[in-house]
Structure formats: C-alpha cells, structure tokens
Amino acid sequence: MKTLIATAALAVLATSAFAGGNFQQGGSGPLKVESVMIGIKSPASNACPANATAKFWIYTNKPGTVSYMTIREGVGASAVKTVQAKKVNGKYVAAVSQQMVIEKKINTRYRVAAKGAGDYMLSNWAPLKANCTIMLGG
C-alpha cells in the first residue's frame, strides 16, 4: 500500500514538473487574429476638403482585446490602438470605422496590421483616391 501511495505521489510531482505549471484557465488558448479586411470609400466628388471613410474588420478565434495599426503605403504605420472583438452572427469580430479628411489630391493605398497573441496579420491593400480639382474655401 505504501508503495502504491509513493508511486502515485511521484507521478503527480513528475507530471507537474514536466508541465511547468503553465496551465491555461478554461483550456481555450490565447486570442488569435484569423483574418483582417479593409475597405475605403473615397470622396464622391472632386471638391475638397472632403471626407473618406475607412472600415475594417478583424476576425478572431474568441472575444478579447486586439491591437491594430493602419499602414499608408510609402508613409508608414500609425500608432498602435486597441479594440474589442465581440461575437457577431456566430463569429468573433472587431469592427472599426475611421473618417479621413482629404484636403489635397491623393492616390495611395492603406492596409491594417492586427494581432492578438503572436505576430501581426495583414489585411488586403485598399485604394484611396481623390482628384480635388475643385478647392473649396474653409
């Protein structure tokens, strides 16, 4: 009987030593970004200043905080911001909408980099174009 108890105690100690004590609560693992999409609605007219709208969606494997930044081609990335992914129609998504004021002619592209745990995942490139042939006073 003593041998059985001693063997069981050693098995428990060995198991916890090999596991390193890194147990995750609930067993669901870390929040991961699964995909990122962006779309931009350029100004409808040639008059400037005008507004453009960028919308993007960050899909994750569960709810939680996601870090993201917008990237303008040839210019670089914005400061890192955070948003909460929530369950919508059976999927986990963080939806962001940003208004941009266009004051002069522009022809560029934007993308979004987002991450939970692990590396950043990149969205598609979305074009932003405005001719600004009509300049309005302000």
Side-chain angles (χ1 to χ4, degrees):
M1 184 69 164
K2 285 184 179 181
T3 306
L4 179 62
I5 293 172
T7 304
L10 284 174
V12 169
L13 288 173
T15 303
S16 62
F18 284 122
N22 293 328
F23 295 102
Q24 295 176 355
Q25 186 176 359
S28 62
L31 181 138
K32 293 183 181 177
V33 172
E34 296 178 338
S35 67
V36 186
M37 297 186 320
I38 184 174
I40 297 178
K41 185 175 181 181
S42 294
S45 73
N46 291 330
C48 288
N51 289 327
T53 304
K55 291 187 178 186
F56 50 93
W57 301 267
I58 303 166
Y59 291 92
T60 64
N61 64 330
K62 65 183 196 176
T65 303
V66 180
S67 299
Y68 73 92
M69 58 186 149
T70 55
I71 302 167
R72 181 174 168 182
E73 185 177 39
V75 176
S78 69
V80 176
K81 298 178 183 176
T82 60
V83 65
Q84 293 295 314
K86 299 175 184 174
K87 193 169 190 174
V88 177
N89 295 329
K91 295 185 178 188
Y92 297 104
V93 63
V96 179
S97 180
Q98 293 180 342
Q99 292 290 317
M100 296 182 274
V101 178
I102 310 302
E103 296 182 0
K104 60 184 179 180
K105 183 176 180 174
I106 190 168
N107 184 3
T108 192
R109 300 187 309 169
Y110 283 87
R111 75 186 328 177
V112 175
K115 76 174 199 158
D119 294 330
Y120 278 96
M121 180 168 281
L122 298 171
S123 73
N124 55 299
W125 284 104
L128 173 59
K129 295 180 182 180
N131 291 331
C132 292
T133 54
I134 305 168
M135 297 304 293
L136 301 175

